């Protein structure tokens, strides 16, 4: 198999995604981007680094297989150099291995593991690298992390074998790629879409958009000055209004959540102010007052209703 890869028998264009921490990415980019520029030029592979002020970043390497292996070799040796440099200042005597994390569509992980773990065992034994396939998918994606550690040479051999497996068994169905989340993402709603703010960019956020559109369909009133319920946008000039709800006492707990976690979540997601009145004696209900723009209020109402529905139907996981 080895010669087949290097002779270009498998010299097809391939994309490999790596998951790195900010510090590792900094090392790959180098001062003023010099390191990554050199890697691109010498390997002939396209190396893209995901935007964002995230603790994790995705490094995508695309190109013919031999270009990918060259890029990988350069990354592995760079990481080894970093380890050596950090050790010169420490008292540790044993050198930690170089570790890379690949991001692989879950539908290909079965082939990588093999029947009863046979394939992954073969890769470990023939390359001397440690290979671990994560049991769970990465958040909001259909991809899993595959962690490889060892000497740079072992890692390069291991990546070659993984590439062969990935080429022989392409992913099945659609892959939802893993996108690292920023440490905390501000969200804005505009034109019926939810956008997450990353750095200077607004990135469409499908999950919140869906929630938002559902909320709009549930709008029980017409925004001021409009004849049909339409989305006024999070327009600072949209007049703030107040809406009141009454909730049975025995269900108020599921909306407040433990130590107020749920109600804070609803406040954050909807952008509305929500006040829960204290229990009045002899009354089996509590008053909730929601203040904000029509869009904020309808989203808050939708989230409160979703909590109630999940509680009543026993789907308390929402």
């Amino acid at each position: 198999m080895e010669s087949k890869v290097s002779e270009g028998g498998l010299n097809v264009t391939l994309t490999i995604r790596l998951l790195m921490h900010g510090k590792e990415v900094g090392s790959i980019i180098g001062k003023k981007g010099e390191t990554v520029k050199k890697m691109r030029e010498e390997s002939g592979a396209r190396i893209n680094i995901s935007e964002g002020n995230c603790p994790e970043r995705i490094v995508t390497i695309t190109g013919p297989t031999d270009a990918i292996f060259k890029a990988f070799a350069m990354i592995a040796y760079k990481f080894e150099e970093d380890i050596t440099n950090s050790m010169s200042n420490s008292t540790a005597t044993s050198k930690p291995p170089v570790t890379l994390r690949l991001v692989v569509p879950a539908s290909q992980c079965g082939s990588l593991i093999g029947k009863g773990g046979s394939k992954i065992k073969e890769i470990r034994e023939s390359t001397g690298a440690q290979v671990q396939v994560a049991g769970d998918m990465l958040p909001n994606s259909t991809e899993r992390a595959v962690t490889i550690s060892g000497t740079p040479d072992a890692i390069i051999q291991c990546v070659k074998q993984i590439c062969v497996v990935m080429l022989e068994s392409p992913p099945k169905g659609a892959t939802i790629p893993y996108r690292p989340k920023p440490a905390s993402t501000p969200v804005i709603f505009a034109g019926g879409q939810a956008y997450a703010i990353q750095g200077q960019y607004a990135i469409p956020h499908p999950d919140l958009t869906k929630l938002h559109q559902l909320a709009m369909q549930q709008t029980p009133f017409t925004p001021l000055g409009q004849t049909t319920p339409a989305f006024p946008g999070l327009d600072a000039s949209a007049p703030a209004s107040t809406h009141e709800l009454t909730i049975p006492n025995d269900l108020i707990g599921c909306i407040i959540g433990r130590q107020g976690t749920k109600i804070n979540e609803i406040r954050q997601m909807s952008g509305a102010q929500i006040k829960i009145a204290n229990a009045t004696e002899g009354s089996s209900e509590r008053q909730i007052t929601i203040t904000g723009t029509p869009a904020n209020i309808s989203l808050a109402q939708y989230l409160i209703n979703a909590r109630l529905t999940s509680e009543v139907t026993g789907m308390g996981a929402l």
Side-chain angles (χ1 to χ4, degrees), residues 306-316 318:
R307 289 290 314 148
L308 292 174
T309 315
S310 72
E311 188 67 19
V312 173
T313 55
M315 285 168 43
L318 239 167

Side-chain angles (χ1 to χ4, degrees), residues 7-311:
E7 282 166 15
L10 281 176
N11 209 5
V12 292
T13 299
L14 193 61
T15 295
I16 302 259
R17 284 154 53 79
L18 283 169
L19 189 53
M20 289 189 193
H21 294 300
K23 199 173 158 196
E24 297 169 323
V25 170
S27 163
I28 295 292
I29 294 173
K31 273 200 185 93
K32 294 184 183 167
E34 279 164 21
T35 311
V36 75
K37 186 171 174 246
K38 188 176 164 209
M39 285 180 178
R40 286 178 180 133
E41 284 167 5
E42 289 187 18
S43 68
R46 287 220 315 274
I47 303 174
N48 281 338
I49 296 163
S50 68
E51 282 292 333
N53 42 0
C54 311
E56 292 182 320
R57 307 271 285 276
I58 296 277
V59 177
T60 308
I61 306 173
T62 306
T65 44
D66 55 354
I68 285 181
F69 301 147
K70 273 186 207 152
F72 255 96
M74 293 174 85
I75 289 173
Y77 283 115
K78 179 72 181 93
F79 282 177
E80 188 182 46
E81 192 187 304
D82 295 344
I83 291 169
T84 310
N85 291 344
S86 67
M87 283 191 62
S88 61
N89 310 327
S90 81
T91 50
T93 46
S94 62
K95 191 167 171 183
V98 173
T99 300
L100 292 178
R101 286 180 299 162
L102 305 185
V103 182
V104 177
S107 59
Q108 288 178 295
C109 287
S111 314
L112 194 55
I113 294 166
K115 248 196 195 110
S118 57
K119 188 68 197 170
I120 200 161
K121 184 166 177 269
E122 181 194 312
I123 294 176
R124 282 182 190 134
E125 285 170 1
S126 64
T127 65
Q130 273 303 313
V131 190
Q132 233 80 44
V133 178
D136 293 327
M137 292 193 210
L138 288 158
N140 307 318
S141 78
T142 56
E143 295 190 304
R144 291 194 202 181
V146 176
T147 308
I148 309 172
S149 54
T151 63
D153 292 337
I155 285 179
I156 296 155
Q157 291 308 319
C158 183
V159 167
K160 285 186 177 179
Q161 298 213 16
I162 289 174
C163 285
V164 172
V165 173
M166 287 169 77
L167 286 167
E168 286 174 348
S169 50
K172 298 168 196 70
T175 297
I176 301 167
Y178 172 57
R179 289 199 176 87
K181 285 250 189 301
S184 66
T185 315
V187 173
I188 55 168
F189 293 105
Q193 284 274 349
Y195 293 90
I197 307 298
Q198 287 191 9
Q200 330 157 15
Y201 303 101
I203 294 159
H205 196 305
D207 304 346
L208 283 173
T209 301
K210 245 182 274 159
L211 195 62
H212 185 70
Q213 284 163 349
L214 275 167
M216 298 322 296
Q217 289 160 16
Q218 311 236 341
T219 313
F221 55 83
T222 303
L224 299 171
Q226 290 177 329
T227 46
T228 53
F231 179 57
L234 277 201
D235 184 355
S237 63
S241 49
T242 299
H243 188 79
E244 292 192 340
L245 296 172
T246 45
I247 302 284
N249 266 340
D250 53 345
L251 287 176
I252 200 81
C254 81
I255 289 166
I256 296 172
R258 196 173 288 153
Q259 294 175 329
T261 48
K262 287 295 166 203
I263 192 73
N264 283 338
E265 229 171 75
I266 295 172
R267 283 184 183 121
Q268 247 182 331
M269 281 183 81
S270 66
Q273 289 180 340
I274 304 170
K275 289 196 176 68
I276 298 175
N278 291 330
T280 47
E281 250 179 81
S283 163
S284 62
E285 293 187 321
R286 299 271 283 275
Q287 191 83 23
I288 297 184
T289 309
I290 309 170
T291 310
T293 63
N296 297 141
I297 292 176
S298 61
L299 189 52
Q301 274 182 292
Y302 171 71
L303 293 165
I304 288 170
N305 286 334
R307 289 290 314 148
L308 292 174
T309 315
S310 72
E311 188 67 19

